[in-house]
Amino acid sequence: QVQLVESGGGLVQAGGSLRLSCAASGRTFSSYAMGWFRQAPGKERECVGAISRGGSITYYGDSVKGRFTISRDNAKNTVYLQMNSLKPEDTAVYYCAADDVAGVTTSPALYDYWGQGTQVTVSS
């Protein structure tokens, strides 16, 4: 199994930036596509970004495209989410997840492993 631990969340003013990190255990990190999801109260879990095993394929949700960047460092077993130009609507718990199939997917149901989540709050 893979254990995932998110960090980097916090409180930030609108227009500011945060960088989330997700550290993965195990030797097989490079075998997993990774995704970042968020969930706000009363809303469904939403994929904001995903990245393929080697990092060559990325996906971004329409609401964050141009503002967020997903990346990974397989040597460090870590995936990142750089969030710029943050808006109050970005407020949510952010989760990283791992999927051991090829390519990238956006459905939460297809991901095998999940972190505990980290809170991101964007104030006006």
Side-chain angles (χ1 to χ4, degrees), residues 7-20 36-38 46 48 63-69 81-94 118-124:
S7 63
L11 175 65
V12 66
Q13 293 267 25
S17 298
L18 285 174
R19 187 195 193 203
L20 305 184
W36 282 100
F37 294 78
R38 68 185 182 188
E46 172 191 23
V48 297
S63 63
V64 306
K65 197 172 298 182
R67 299 188 296 120
F68 290 11
T69 303
L81 185 68
Q82 178 67 46
M83 305 185 294
N84 299 326
S85 301
L86 283 163
K87 305 174 181 179
E89 64 197 60
D90 295 318
T91 295
V93 177
Y94 283 72
T118 185
Q119 177 71 45
V120 172
T121 302
V122 184
S123 62
S124 300

mmCIF file of all heavy atoms in Angstrom, residues 7-20 36-38 46 48 63-69 81-94 118-124:
data_model
loop_
_atom_site.group_PDB
_atom_site.id
_atom_site.type_symbol
_atom_site.label_atom_id
_atom_site.label_comp_id
_atom_site.label_asym_id
_atom_site.label_seq_id
_atom_site.Cartn_x
_atom_site.Cartn_y
_atom_site.Cartn_z
ATOM 1 N N SER A 7 0.699 18.389 3.197
ATOM 2 C CA SER A 7 1.125 19.499 4.030
ATOM 3 C C SER A 7 1.094 20.778 3.203
ATOM 4 O O SER A 7 1.015 20.735 1.974
ATOM 5 C CB SER A 7 2.519 19.268 4.613
ATOM 6 O OG SER A 7 3.489 19.174 3.583
ATOM 7 N N GLY A 8 1.151 21.909 3.884
ATOM 8 C CA GLY A 8 1.233 23.190 3.208
ATOM 9 C C GLY A 8 -0.030 24.012 3.208
ATOM 10 O O GLY A 8 -0.026 25.152 2.728
ATOM 11 N N GLY A 9 -1.115 23.462 3.724
ATOM 12 C CA GLY A 9 -2.343 24.223 3.783
ATOM 13 C C GLY A 9 -2.274 25.317 4.832
ATOM 14 O O GLY A 9 -1.348 25.385 5.638
ATOM 15 N N GLY A 10 -3.274 26.170 4.813
ATOM 16 C CA GLY A 10 -3.330 27.260 5.771
ATOM 17 C C GLY A 10 -4.277 28.339 5.330
ATOM 18 O O GLY A 10 -5.103 28.150 4.434
ATOM 19 N N LEU A 11 -4.149 29.480 5.977
ATOM 20 C CA LEU A 11 -4.978 30.647 5.702
ATOM 21 C C LEU A 11 -4.192 31.628 4.852
ATOM 22 O O LEU A 11 -3.046 31.960 5.172
ATOM 23 C CB LEU A 11 -5.410 31.305 7.014
ATOM 24 C CG LEU A 11 -6.193 32.601 6.919
ATOM 25 C CD1 LEU A 11 -7.543 32.366 6.257
ATOM 26 C CD2 LEU A 11 -6.366 33.203 8.305
ATOM 27 N N VAL A 12 -4.817 32.099 3.791
ATOM 28 C CA VAL A 12 -4.155 33.030 2.885
ATOM 29 C C VAL A 12 -5.170 34.047 2.383
ATOM 30 O O VAL A 12 -6.366 33.753 2.276
ATOM 31 C CB VAL A 12 -3.497 32.266 1.709
ATOM 32 C CG1 VAL A 12 -4.548 31.596 0.835
ATOM 33 C CG2 VAL A 12 -2.605 33.179 0.886
ATOM 34 N N GLN A 13 -4.697 35.243 2.098
ATOM 35 C CA GLN A 13 -5.551 36.280 1.540
ATOM 36 C C GLN A 13 -5.836 36.010 0.070
ATOM 37 O O GLN A 13 -5.030 35.399 -0.630
ATOM 38 C CB GLN A 13 -4.879 37.649 1.672
ATOM 39 C CG GLN A 13 -4.719 38.152 3.091
ATOM 40 C CD GLN A 13 -5.873 39.021 3.536
ATOM 41 O OE1 GLN A 13 -6.986 38.914 3.019
ATOM 42 N NE2 GLN A 13 -5.616 39.891 4.493
ATOM 43 N N ALA A 14 -6.990 36.461 -0.385
ATOM 44 C CA ALA A 14 -7.303 36.367 -1.807
ATOM 45 C C ALA A 14 -6.194 37.006 -2.626
ATOM 46 O O ALA A 14 -5.685 38.078 -2.288
ATOM 47 C CB ALA A 14 -8.636 37.033 -2.104
ATOM 48 N N GLY A 15 -5.829 36.331 -3.705
ATOM 49 C CA GLY A 15 -4.732 36.778 -4.535
ATOM 50 C C GLY A 15 -3.385 36.209 -4.148
ATOM 51 O O GLY A 15 -2.421 36.348 -4.914
ATOM 52 N N GLY A 16 -3.320 35.568 -3.008
ATOM 53 C CA GLY A 16 -2.079 34.991 -2.541
ATOM 54 C C GLY A 16 -1.824 33.614 -3.107
ATOM 55 O O GLY A 16 -2.565 33.116 -3.958
ATOM 56 N N SER A 17 -0.765 32.991 -2.606
ATOM 57 C CA SER A 17 -0.326 31.696 -3.108
ATOM 58 C C SER A 17 -0.046 30.740 -1.968
ATOM 59 O O SER A 17 0.325 31.145 -0.856
ATOM 60 C CB SER A 17 0.949 31.846 -3.946
ATOM 61 O OG SER A 17 0.736 32.656 -5.088
ATOM 62 N N LEU A 18 -0.214 29.464 -2.256
ATOM 63 C CA LEU A 18 0.177 28.385 -1.372
ATOM 64 C C LEU A 18 0.749 27.261 -2.215
ATOM 65 O O LEU A 18 0.351 27.077 -3.366
ATOM 66 C CB LEU A 18 -1.000 27.847 -0.557
ATOM 67 C CG LEU A 18 -1.518 28.659 0.615
ATOM 68 C CD1 LEU A 18 -2.783 28.006 1.167
ATOM 69 C CD2 LEU A 18 -0.467 28.767 1.710
ATOM 70 N N ARG A 19 1.649 26.513 -1.624
ATOM 71 C CA ARG A 19 2.191 25.324 -2.258
ATOM 72 C C ARG A 19 1.922 24.126 -1.371
ATOM 73 O O ARG A 19 2.434 24.047 -0.249
ATOM 74 C CB ARG A 19 3.692 25.465 -2.489
ATOM 75 C CG ARG A 19 4.303 24.329 -3.311
ATOM 76 C CD ARG A 19 5.802 24.343 -3.180
ATOM 77 N NE ARG A 19 6.468 23.496 -4.149
ATOM 78 C CZ ARG A 19 7.685 23.002 -3.984
ATOM 79 N NH1 ARG A 19 8.378 23.271 -2.893
ATOM 80 N NH2 ARG A 19 8.219 22.237 -4.932
ATOM 81 N N LEU A 20 1.114 23.214 -1.864
ATOM 82 C CA LEU A 20 0.816 21.991 -1.150
ATOM 83 C C LEU A 20 1.791 20.899 -1.556
ATOM 84 O O LEU A 20 2.184 20.804 -2.716
ATOM 85 C CB LEU A 20 -0.607 21.524 -1.432
ATOM 86 C CG LEU A 20 -1.740 22.518 -1.166
ATOM 87 C CD1 LEU A 20 -3.086 21.844 -1.417
ATOM 88 C CD2 LEU A 20 -1.663 23.063 0.247
ATOM 89 N N TRP A 36 -4.797 15.674 -7.282
ATOM 90 C CA TRP A 36 -5.195 16.568 -6.197
ATOM 91 C C TRP A 36 -6.691 16.816 -6.314
ATOM 92 O O TRP A 36 -7.183 17.168 -7.388
ATOM 93 C CB TRP A 36 -4.452 17.899 -6.247
ATOM 94 C CG TRP A 36 -3.049 17.838 -5.726
ATOM 95 C CD1 TRP A 36 -1.908 17.759 -6.443
ATOM 96 C CD2 TRP A 36 -2.660 17.890 -4.353
ATOM 97 N NE1 TRP A 36 -0.819 17.750 -5.620
ATOM 98 C CE2 TRP A 36 -1.252 17.826 -4.325
ATOM 99 C CE3 TRP A 36 -3.357 17.982 -3.147
ATOM 100 C CZ2 TRP A 36 -0.530 17.847 -3.130
ATOM 101 C CZ3 TRP A 36 -2.642 17.997 -1.963
ATOM 102 C CH2 TRP A 36 -1.247 17.932 -1.963
ATOM 103 N N PHE A 37 -7.373 16.634 -5.212
ATOM 104 C CA PHE A 37 -8.812 16.842 -5.134
ATOM 105 C C PHE A 37 -9.116 17.824 -4.019
ATOM 106 O O PHE A 37 -8.322 18.001 -3.095
ATOM 107 C CB PHE A 37 -9.536 15.518 -4.864
ATOM 108 C CG PHE A 37 -9.431 14.519 -5.972
ATOM 109 C CD1 PHE A 37 -8.277 13.772 -6.158
ATOM 110 C CD2 PHE A 37 -10.492 14.319 -6.842
ATOM 111 C CE1 PHE A 37 -8.171 12.850 -7.178
ATOM 112 C CE2 PHE A 37 -10.405 13.393 -7.871
ATOM 113 C CZ PHE A 37 -9.247 12.661 -8.036
ATOM 114 N N ARG A 38 -10.273 18.434 -4.105
ATOM 115 C CA ARG A 38 -10.716 19.284 -3.012
ATOM 116 C C ARG A 38 -12.196 19.050 -2.754
ATOM 117 O O ARG A 38 -12.948 18.650 -3.643
ATOM 118 C CB ARG A 38 -10.450 20.760 -3.306
ATOM 119 C CG ARG A 38 -11.276 21.352 -4.433
ATOM 120 C CD ARG A 38 -10.836 22.771 -4.717
ATOM 121 N NE ARG A 38 -11.640 23.400 -5.755
ATOM 122 C CZ ARG A 38 -11.362 24.572 -6.296
ATOM 123 N NH1 ARG A 38 -10.281 25.258 -5.908
ATOM 124 N NH2 ARG A 38 -12.157 25.078 -7.236
ATOM 125 N N GLU A 46 -13.921 17.230 -5.886
ATOM 126 C CA GLU A 46 -13.619 17.750 -7.205
ATOM 127 C C GLU A 46 -12.142 17.578 -7.516
ATOM 128 O O GLU A 46 -11.286 17.932 -6.703
ATOM 129 C CB GLU A 46 -13.999 19.234 -7.264
ATOM 130 C CG GLU A 46 -13.568 19.971 -8.507
ATOM 131 C CD GLU A 46 -13.742 21.465 -8.380
ATOM 132 O OE1 GLU A 46 -13.779 21.977 -7.239
ATOM 133 O OE2 GLU A 46 -13.847 22.135 -9.421
ATOM 134 N N VAL A 48 -8.921 18.809 -9.037
ATOM 135 C CA VAL A 48 -8.356 20.070 -9.483
ATOM 136 C C VAL A 48 -7.102 19.869 -10.324
ATOM 137 O O VAL A 48 -6.730 20.764 -11.096
ATOM 138 C CB VAL A 48 -8.060 21.011 -8.304
ATOM 139 C CG1 VAL A 48 -9.356 21.382 -7.589
ATOM 140 C CG2 VAL A 48 -7.079 20.388 -7.316
ATOM 141 N N SER A 63 -11.960 25.288 -13.274
ATOM 142 C CA SER A 63 -12.020 26.370 -12.306
ATOM 143 C C SER A 63 -10.648 26.821 -11.822
ATOM 144 O O SER A 63 -10.527 27.910 -11.248
ATOM 145 C CB SER A 63 -12.882 25.965 -11.107
ATOM 146 O OG SER A 63 -12.313 24.864 -10.423
ATOM 147 N N VAL A 64 -9.620 26.007 -12.045
ATOM 148 C CA VAL A 64 -8.288 26.350 -11.556
ATOM 149 C C VAL A 64 -7.264 26.472 -12.672
ATOM 150 O O VAL A 64 -6.108 26.843 -12.404
ATOM 151 C CB VAL A 64 -7.785 25.327 -10.516
ATOM 152 C CG1 VAL A 64 -8.800 25.171 -9.394
ATOM 153 C CG2 VAL A 64 -7.500 23.980 -11.162
ATOM 154 N N LYS A 65 -7.659 26.186 -13.885
ATOM 155 C CA LYS A 65 -6.734 26.217 -15.010
ATOM 156 C C LYS A 65 -6.108 27.600 -15.151
ATOM 157 O O LYS A 65 -6.799 28.616 -15.141
ATOM 158 C CB LYS A 65 -7.470 25.816 -16.285
ATOM 159 C CG LYS A 65 -6.577 25.413 -17.435
ATOM 160 C CD LYS A 65 -7.412 24.843 -18.589
ATOM 161 C CE LYS A 65 -8.152 23.585 -18.173
ATOM 162 N NZ LYS A 65 -8.935 22.992 -19.297
ATOM 163 N N GLY A 66 -4.797 27.611 -15.280
ATOM 164 C CA GLY A 66 -4.072 28.856 -15.376
ATOM 165 C C GLY A 66 -3.618 29.411 -14.046
ATOM 166 O O GLY A 66 -2.781 30.331 -14.019
ATOM 167 N N ARG A 67 -4.151 28.886 -12.954
ATOM 168 C CA ARG A 67 -3.782 29.361 -11.624
ATOM 169 C C ARG A 67 -3.022 28.317 -10.817
ATOM 170 O O ARG A 67 -2.175 28.667 -9.994
ATOM 171 C CB ARG A 67 -5.026 29.788 -10.841
ATOM 172 C CG ARG A 67 -5.793 30.922 -11.490
ATOM 173 C CD ARG A 67 -6.906 31.430 -10.573
ATOM 174 N NE ARG A 67 -7.911 30.409 -10.322
ATOM 175 C CZ ARG A 67 -8.210 29.935 -9.111
ATOM 176 N NH1 ARG A 67 -7.574 30.392 -8.039
ATOM 177 N NH2 ARG A 67 -9.159 29.020 -8.974
ATOM 178 N N PHE A 68 -3.346 27.041 -11.033
ATOM 179 C CA PHE A 68 -2.727 25.955 -10.285
ATOM 180 C C PHE A 68 -1.779 25.177 -11.192
ATOM 181 O O PHE A 68 -2.023 25.041 -12.396
ATOM 182 C CB PHE A 68 -3.779 24.981 -9.748
ATOM 183 C CG PHE A 68 -4.650 25.514 -8.645
ATOM 184 C CD1 PHE A 68 -4.664 26.859 -8.304
ATOM 185 C CD2 PHE A 68 -5.465 24.645 -7.938
ATOM 186 C CE1 PHE A 68 -5.471 27.337 -7.289
ATOM 187 C CE2 PHE A 68 -6.279 25.107 -6.919
ATOM 188 C CZ PHE A 68 -6.284 26.453 -6.595
ATOM 189 N N THR A 69 -0.728 24.638 -10.601
ATOM 190 C CA THR A 69 0.216 23.803 -11.324
ATOM 191 C C THR A 69 0.529 22.566 -10.499
ATOM 192 O O THR A 69 0.921 22.680 -9.334
ATOM 193 C CB THR A 69 1.521 24.550 -11.632
ATOM 194 O OG1 THR A 69 1.241 25.742 -12.376
ATOM 195 C CG2 THR A 69 2.456 23.666 -12.447
ATOM 196 N N LEU A 81 1.274 20.821 -5.456
ATOM 197 C CA LEU A 81 0.249 21.640 -6.084
ATOM 198 C C LEU A 81 0.559 23.095 -5.755
ATOM 199 O O LEU A 81 0.385 23.525 -4.609
ATOM 200 C CB LEU A 81 -1.153 21.274 -5.603
ATOM 201 C CG LEU A 81 -2.299 22.013 -6.297
ATOM 202 C CD1 LEU A 81 -2.408 21.571 -7.763
ATOM 203 C CD2 LEU A 81 -3.624 21.785 -5.582
ATOM 204 N N GLN A 82 1.031 23.825 -6.749
ATOM 205 C CA GLN A 82 1.277 25.251 -6.594
ATOM 206 C C GLN A 82 -0.008 25.991 -6.923
ATOM 207 O O GLN A 82 -0.540 25.860 -8.025
ATOM 208 C CB GLN A 82 2.400 25.702 -7.522
ATOM 209 C CG GLN A 82 2.704 27.194 -7.461
ATOM 210 C CD GLN A 82 3.278 27.613 -6.132
ATOM 211 O OE1 GLN A 82 4.179 26.971 -5.603
ATOM 212 N NE2 GLN A 82 2.747 28.702 -5.578
ATOM 213 N N MET A 83 -0.500 26.765 -5.985
ATOM 214 C CA MET A 83 -1.762 27.471 -6.129
ATOM 215 C C MET A 83 -1.491 28.968 -6.082
ATOM 216 O O MET A 83 -1.037 29.492 -5.061
ATOM 217 C CB MET A 83 -2.744 27.071 -5.032
ATOM 218 C CG MET A 83 -2.989 25.569 -4.953
ATOM 219 S SD MET A 83 -4.272 25.127 -3.754
ATOM 220 C CE MET A 83 -3.460 25.630 -2.234
ATOM 221 N N ASN A 84 -1.772 29.640 -7.176
ATOM 222 C CA ASN A 84 -1.584 31.077 -7.286
ATOM 223 C C ASN A 84 -2.919 31.767 -7.501
ATOM 224 O O ASN A 84 -3.904 31.148 -7.889
ATOM 225 C CB ASN A 84 -0.644 31.408 -8.446
ATOM 226 C CG ASN A 84 0.736 30.825 -8.281
ATOM 227 O OD1 ASN A 84 1.254 30.715 -7.168
ATOM 228 N ND2 ASN A 84 1.359 30.465 -9.397
ATOM 229 N N SER A 85 -2.932 33.063 -7.270
ATOM 230 C CA SER A 85 -4.137 33.875 -7.476
ATOM 231 C C SER A 85 -5.343 33.252 -6.803
ATOM 232 O O SER A 85 -6.422 33.118 -7.393
ATOM 233 C CB SER A 85 -4.390 34.069 -8.979
ATOM 234 O OG SER A 85 -3.294 34.698 -9.606
ATOM 235 N N LEU A 86 -5.178 32.889 -5.563
ATOM 236 C CA LEU A 86 -6.228 32.172 -4.849
ATOM 237 C C LEU A 86 -7.461 33.041 -4.644
ATOM 238 O O LEU A 86 -7.364 34.260 -4.440
ATOM 239 C CB LEU A 86 -5.706 31.675 -3.512
ATOM 240 C CG LEU A 86 -4.807 30.440 -3.614
ATOM 241 C CD1 LEU A 86 -3.994 30.255 -2.347
ATOM 242 C CD2 LEU A 86 -5.657 29.197 -3.886
ATOM 243 N N LYS A 87 -8.596 32.385 -4.696
ATOM 244 C CA LYS A 87 -9.893 33.021 -4.533
ATOM 245 C C LYS A 87 -10.614 32.400 -3.346
ATOM 246 O O LYS A 87 -10.356 31.247 -2.993
ATOM 247 C CB LYS A 87 -10.743 32.828 -5.795
ATOM 248 C CG LYS A 87 -10.091 33.305 -7.071
ATOM 249 C CD LYS A 87 -10.947 32.933 -8.272
ATOM 250 C CE LYS A 87 -10.299 33.372 -9.564
ATOM 251 N NZ LYS A 87 -11.122 32.984 -10.745
ATOM 252 N N PRO A 88 -11.544 33.128 -2.734
ATOM 253 C CA PRO A 88 -12.312 32.531 -1.641
ATOM 254 C C PRO A 88 -12.996 31.224 -2.027
ATOM 255 O O PRO A 88 -13.134 30.331 -1.179
ATOM 256 C CB PRO A 88 -13.329 33.622 -1.295
ATOM 257 C CG PRO A 88 -12.627 34.889 -1.643
ATOM 258 C CD PRO A 88 -11.828 34.565 -2.878
ATOM 259 N N GLU A 89 -13.403 31.083 -3.268
ATOM 260 C CA GLU A 89 -14.050 29.856 -3.717
ATOM 261 C C GLU A 89 -13.108 28.660 -3.754
ATOM 262 O O GLU A 89 -13.559 27.526 -3.935
ATOM 263 C CB GLU A 89 -14.674 30.063 -5.100
ATOM 264 C CG GLU A 89 -13.665 30.362 -6.197
ATOM 265 C CD GLU A 89 -14.293 30.966 -7.439
ATOM 266 O OE1 GLU A 89 -14.906 32.047 -7.331
ATOM 267 O OE2 GLU A 89 -14.175 30.356 -8.525
ATOM 268 N N ASP A 90 -11.813 28.890 -3.595
ATOM 269 C CA ASP A 90 -10.859 27.794 -3.505
ATOM 270 C C ASP A 90 -10.812 27.178 -2.111
ATOM 271 O O ASP A 90 -10.122 26.170 -1.908
ATOM 272 C CB ASP A 90 -9.458 28.272 -3.887
ATOM 273 C CG ASP A 90 -9.356 28.709 -5.336
ATOM 274 O OD1 ASP A 90 -9.924 28.026 -6.206
ATOM 275 O OD2 ASP A 90 -8.703 29.747 -5.594
ATOM 276 N N THR A 91 -11.496 27.775 -1.164
ATOM 277 C CA THR A 91 -11.499 27.263 0.196
ATOM 278 C C THR A 91 -12.077 25.851 0.228
ATOM 279 O O THR A 91 -13.189 25.616 -0.242
ATOM 280 C CB THR A 91 -12.304 28.184 1.110
ATOM 281 O OG1 THR A 91 -11.657 29.463 1.188
ATOM 282 C CG2 THR A 91 -12.420 27.606 2.511
ATOM 283 N N ALA A 92 -11.316 24.919 0.780
ATOM 284 C CA ALA A 92 -11.723 23.519 0.815
ATOM 285 C C ALA A 92 -10.660 22.723 1.549
ATOM 286 O O ALA A 92 -9.583 23.232 1.860
ATOM 287 C CB ALA A 92 -11.901 22.957 -0.600
ATOM 288 N N VAL A 93 -10.982 21.470 1.810
ATOM 289 C CA VAL A 93 -9.973 20.515 2.219
ATOM 290 C C VAL A 93 -9.389 19.909 0.953
ATOM 291 O O VAL A 93 -10.127 19.430 0.086
ATOM 292 C CB VAL A 93 -10.541 19.415 3.125
ATOM 293 C CG1 VAL A 93 -9.466 18.389 3.473
ATOM 294 C CG2 VAL A 93 -11.115 20.026 4.397
ATOM 295 N N TYR A 94 -8.080 19.921 0.850
ATOM 296 C CA TYR A 94 -7.389 19.411 -0.321
ATOM 297 C C TYR A 94 -6.764 18.067 -0.003
ATOM 298 O O TYR A 94 -6.078 17.907 1.009
ATOM 299 C CB TYR A 94 -6.315 20.400 -0.784
ATOM 300 C CG TYR A 94 -6.894 21.585 -1.522
ATOM 301 C CD1 TYR A 94 -7.608 22.563 -0.845
ATOM 302 C CD2 TYR A 94 -6.741 21.712 -2.900
ATOM 303 C CE1 TYR A 94 -8.161 23.635 -1.517
ATOM 304 C CE2 TYR A 94 -7.286 22.789 -3.582
ATOM 305 C CZ TYR A 94 -7.994 23.749 -2.885
ATOM 306 O OH TYR A 94 -8.538 24.816 -3.561
ATOM 307 N N THR A 118 -5.614 18.461 3.780
ATOM 308 C CA THR A 118 -5.101 19.661 4.422
ATOM 309 C C THR A 118 -6.033 20.822 4.091
ATOM 310 O O THR A 118 -6.484 20.965 2.953
ATOM 311 C CB THR A 118 -3.647 19.953 3.985
ATOM 312 O OG1 THR A 118 -3.125 21.061 4.720
ATOM 313 C CG2 THR A 118 -3.546 20.249 2.494
ATOM 314 N N GLN A 119 -6.343 21.625 5.091
ATOM 315 C CA GLN A 119 -7.309 22.707 4.930
ATOM 316 C C GLN A 119 -6.659 23.909 4.266
ATOM 317 O O GLN A 119 -5.586 24.363 4.680
ATOM 318 C CB GLN A 119 -7.882 23.114 6.289
ATOM 319 C CG GLN A 119 -8.850 24.296 6.239
ATOM 320 C CD GLN A 119 -10.167 23.937 5.602
ATOM 321 O OE1 GLN A 119 -10.748 22.894 5.912
ATOM 322 N NE2 GLN A 119 -10.646 24.792 4.699
ATOM 323 N N VAL A 120 -7.323 24.432 3.259
ATOM 324 C CA VAL A 120 -6.944 25.685 2.626
ATOM 325 C C VAL A 120 -8.107 26.654 2.787
ATOM 326 O O VAL A 120 -9.228 26.354 2.378
ATOM 327 C CB VAL A 120 -6.607 25.497 1.137
ATOM 328 C CG1 VAL A 120 -6.407 26.853 0.453
ATOM 329 C CG2 VAL A 120 -5.373 24.628 0.975
ATOM 330 N N THR A 121 -7.829 27.795 3.380
ATOM 331 C CA THR A 121 -8.844 28.819 3.578
ATOM 332 C C THR A 121 -8.356 30.121 2.957
ATOM 333 O O THR A 121 -7.270 30.602 3.288
ATOM 334 C CB THR A 121 -9.140 29.031 5.070
ATOM 335 O OG1 THR A 121 -9.560 27.802 5.658
ATOM 336 C CG2 THR A 121 -10.242 30.072 5.251
ATOM 337 N N VAL A 122 -9.163 30.675 2.073
ATOM 338 C CA VAL A 122 -8.819 31.907 1.380
ATOM 339 C C VAL A 122 -9.795 32.982 1.828
ATOM 340 O O VAL A 122 -11.007 32.855 1.630
ATOM 341 C CB VAL A 122 -8.872 31.739 -0.140
ATOM 342 C CG1 VAL A 122 -8.406 33.017 -0.831
ATOM 343 C CG2 VAL A 122 -8.011 30.555 -0.575
ATOM 344 N N SER A 123 -9.282 34.031 2.410
ATOM 345 C CA SER A 123 -10.111 35.115 2.910
ATOM 346 C C SER A 123 -10.218 36.228 1.879
ATOM 347 O O SER A 123 -9.335 36.412 1.034
ATOM 348 C CB SER A 123 -9.545 35.669 4.220
ATOM 349 O OG SER A 123 -8.250 36.214 4.024
ATOM 350 N N SER A 124 -11.298 36.999 1.983
ATOM 351 C CA SER A 124 -11.533 38.105 1.060
ATOM 352 C C SER A 124 -10.613 39.271 1.361
ATOM 353 O O SER A 124 -10.171 39.473 2.491
ATOM 354 C CB SER A 124 -12.985 38.560 1.122
ATOM 355 O OG SER A 124 -13.866 37.503 0.783
#
